[in-house]
Amino acid sequence: MLTKKQAQVLDFIKTYRAKHGYAPSLEDIRQKFKLASGSTAHYYISKLQDAGFLNKEHNQPRAVSTVEAKQTIEVPILGAIAAGQPIEAIEIPDETITITRDEIGKQGKHYALRVQGSSMIDEGIFDGDIVIIRKQEVAENGQTVVAVIDDNEATLKKLYRENGRFRLQPANPTLFPIYRDEVEVRGVVVKIIRNLESQLDQGQSRDEKYVRKIDYSWDYRGEKTKSHTHGIHTYPAMFIPQVGRRLLETYSKEGDTICDIFCGSGSALVESRLIGRNAYGIDLNPLAIFLAKAKTTPINPQKLTREYLALLDRVEKIKDSEIQRPNFKNIDFWFKDKVIIKLAKLKKAIREIEDKEIQNFFMVAFSETVRYSSNTKTGEFKLVRVKGDKLEKHDPDVIGIFRKHAEKNIAGMTEFYKDAKKDFWTKIIYGDSSKDNGIKANSIDCIITSPPYGDSRTTVAYGQFSRLSAQWIDVFEDPNDASGVDNNLLGGRASKSLIHALSSDYLKESLEKIAKQDEARARDVLSFNLGLNECLKQAHRILKPKKYFCLVVGNRLVKQVRIPTDFIIAELAEKIGFTCEDIIVRNIPSKRMPIKNSPTNIVGALEETMNKESIVVLRKN
Ligand SMILES: C[S@@+](CC[C@H](N)C(=O)[O-])C[C@H]1O[C@@H](n2cnc3c(N)ncnc32)[C@H](O)[C@@H]1O
């Protein structure tokens, strides 16, 4: 593997040699890269030697010489893998890592994952490491595999077949094995990469304009996140209800009117209703709007149960000749014929429910049924079709899936109906938050939101995730329009050039670093930030003076450049008329780490890892 910094050091050594006829000293390297000490420079030299990019005969820096370039490959980093409790298998190609072919062998396709958790420490796999996986569907006893179990949960464990079942064995004596009758192997670990470099970089903190406070009390490790209507439908990057609630309780009061300008499936809106806030939600994805409405509309569960039983009766009686197949492009690619027939019967039976709110409620379970019975890999946000044997054998129990979701959803609604405050309203607007959506100026008491992490093309494709459901449940007049959603979201269309007037030094620095490697990616990042800046302006317009605007954001990596979105937002917002009062860092939900005696509010600590997200607290001047 060659990390960005290592590549820069290698480049420097090559250029220096070409110019001077001899290699640079450790001190030359230290000065060039503003490293804390000569030993850090030495660390890079030995890494380059280990990776085979520098000759190893003499361990003296002046004696280093570059060797012939080795055959390298770019391995996509597809997300995170739990070396602990299994987490939902989600693949979001975010960046790549360069390694030499020698390190992983000549054969096979590979991908990389970041490790979370400590269940494999006896195998030398630690939290924060990157593992390179060779794709394969079978593994030998004792190999360390990426295993997918249950409802699409992925974990990294040693695999053993015994007594007709599988044992997934952690390499940590304090943890128990997991036993399953079925395990899907997605590959075998062929290399572990320890990211010591980022630890070294962290030591060299610079004077930042803002301070991130690490506060573990925001983690809500192990807490239930699917209470009330929160669990009725999956949606990418949902708010942890506890985070939403705590922000609402801290920065607004009962009776206030709040707004979530990127409301997604409506988690913050559900919490608002539970603690007595009126709420506006805005989103540009029609499926999100549909879900947010269903999640925030209290319905008497007894009525739901009555309609549910009648609905199951009706479905049984619908004949094949009575159904209407939906008409959208590639339907036969994504669904088997008999699945289409069953879904169409279910949809017809739901559409026959007279009460529109109850109809929509069951459409939510139907939407999940569409996703789970389609030919897609359900753990991925992007649409990827299952292949070969798996596709052949794919025979989903459509009605069974629907029943499971509908019954779970009725239980969730029962809780929401009981706890939702009756005298408050929720209004959900289909709109673009970078524009005026009709909310009056200076009318909102608090804005709580979580914007996308980046442009939908290279981060989470909300539109793509929603497409098949949206096409089945008729949220578009023409279902074929469903494929256009992502282009309209923040950063959906790359900027034409890198010229801009945004006033953020952090953004400028990130764009310069990314553009050096890939100008098109830099234009994607700029486009996202241009859109975000317009959203900040609109937020400023609708918020009352002296009131709070909280954004939960991720600092993503693009081309190995960490983009400090939290600092960028703070800089942009201060130009618009906000003051940044706080930046709190929390461990992100699926990436919780066991930390004993966690300290809170460590002011001044700087964090640069993937496992965190920042809560930026702005106040209108
Ligand atoms: C991180 S998600 C929000 C998830 C939400 N907090 C939840 O719990 O479900 C970000 C949302 O921003 C929406 N979005 C992206 N660009 C937008 C824009 N310009 N205007 C309004 N919404 C937008 C996406 O459709 C997505 O639903």
Side-chain angles (χ1 to χ4, degrees), residues 211-224:
V211 172
R212 295 185 179 107
K213 291 181 193 170
I214 304 170
D215 186 340
Y216 295 105
S217 72
W218 284 88
D219 291 5
Y220 298 105
R221 202 172 302 132
E223 289 201 20
K224 191 175 164 195

Side-chain angles (χ1 to χ4, degrees), residues 508-539:
K508 271 186 203 131
E509 193 183 325
S510 302
L511 289 174
E512 274 166 23
K513 285 184 189 167
I514 298 165
K516 269 190 201 148
Q517 303 174 66
D518 186 338
E519 207 208 284
R521 290 300 294 276
R523 282 189 279 113
D524 284 337
V525 172
L526 174 59
S527 153
F528 173 80
N529 282 282
L530 286 167
L532 190 58
N533 190 51
E534 292 308 304
C535 295
L536 297 177
K537 286 186 194 163
Q538 283 302 325

Side-chain angles (χ1 to χ4, degrees), residues 358-369:
I358 298 181
Q359 199 188 101
N360 287 346
F361 177 82
F362 285 110
M363 272 298 174
V364 172
F366 177 75
S367 163
E368 283 285 62
T369 311

Side-chain angles (χ1 to χ4, degrees), residues 245-317:
R245 178 170 296 207
R246 182 160 162 190
L247 289 173
L248 287 166
E249 284 178 338
T250 313
Y251 298 105
S252 72
K253 57 181 192 317
E254 187 159 351
D256 274 358
T257 298
I258 72 107
C259 180
D260 182 345
I261 59 171
F262 302 103
C263 72
S265 68
S267 314
L269 311 178
V270 170
E271 285 303 306
S272 302
R273 197 60 175 266
L274 290 171
I275 60 166
R277 288 8 173 205
N278 295 313
Y280 284 105
I282 310 173
D283 206 286
L284 202 42
N285 176 7
L287 183 74
I289 295 296
F290 185 84
L291 298 175
K293 278 187 185 155
K295 281 167 78 168
T296 53
T297 306
I299 307 177
N300 185 331
Q302 284 172 356
K303 281 192 195 167
L304 287 177
T305 310
R306 257 198 315 274
E307 286 288 359
Y308 173 60
L309 297 174
L311 163 74
L312 292 181
D313 256 6
R314 279 201 304 282
V315 176
E316 293 295 313
K317 292 180 190 132

Side-chain angles (χ1 to χ4, degrees), residues 235 237-239 262-265 267 283-284 431-433 450 462 490:
Y235 194 73
M238 283 160 92
F239 250 142
F262 302 103
C263 72
S265 68
S267 314
D283 206 286
L284 202 42
D432 181 344
S433 288
S450 113
Y462 295 96
L490 280 190

